[in-house]
Amino acid sequence: MRVYVPLTLSGLAAAHGAGEVGPGPLTAYAVTPGLREWYVSDDIEELEYAALNRAAAASLRMIAGSPDEVRRRVVVALDVPDGSAVADPDHGLSAASLGEVRIAAALPLAKAAAVHVDADDAEKDVAAAAAALGAADLGDDDAQFTVDGAEDHELLWFGVQEIPQLIR
């Protein structure tokens, strides 16, 4: 099963240094029954893209909670054994937790398939989105428009061997 773990650049640096993403338990995103029902698609690539975007939104929340963090969203795609990522059945269809899974233990970075990171030119919009997130959560439409602006930036794909260049 492919899972998408939201991180920050400093979190990616820590994972690279430790050789694993963790410690557990980890919150990640994957193609869950709830995500399938919400997205209404049988195309696995579309569903995985939706899970990746859910993880990118979680990365934005991490950035918003850390004022010194670089304003670039980071998601690590990892392959885990079936059954090790567990969806919460009580929150399966909650809009806030669509695709969310829990993983009990740290994940070896060697199992990573790719790293997805914002381009440098996204930093301004990601910074604005992080600043507006609280107001957006409270229903402010203008703030939500700003948050959506960060989502307009596609995360770039990087191989695991490129992590040292990303964390400089």
Side-chain angles (χ1 to χ4, degrees), residues 137-161:
D137 287 346
L138 295 174
D140 184 318
D141 290 338
D142 291 334
Q144 186 61 53
F145 181 79
T146 301
V147 171
D148 292 344
E151 294 173 5
D152 290 341
H153 293 275
E154 295 288 329
L155 297 178
L156 302 177
W157 183 97
F158 295 93
V160 176
Q161 70 277 11

Side-chain angles (χ1 to χ4, degrees), residues 80 118 120 153:
V80 300
D118 274 314
D120 292 339
H153 293 275

Side-chain angles (χ1 to χ4, degrees), residues 52-74:
L52 170 66
N53 284 329
R54 300 294 295 171
S59 175
L60 178 64
R61 290 195 174 282
M62 293 174 168
I63 291 167
S66 182
D68 296 331
E69 188 62 55
V70 176
R71 290 348 208 187
R72 291 172 67 193
R73 298 167 299 163
V74 177

Side-chain angles (χ1 to χ4, degrees), residues 37-56:
E37 187 174 327
W38 171 75
Y39 201 75
V40 191
S41 175
D42 289 331
D43 185 327
I44 191 64
E45 288 183 14
E46 286 181 15
L47 291 165
E48 286 183 344
Y49 183 71
L52 170 66
N53 284 329
R54 300 294 295 171

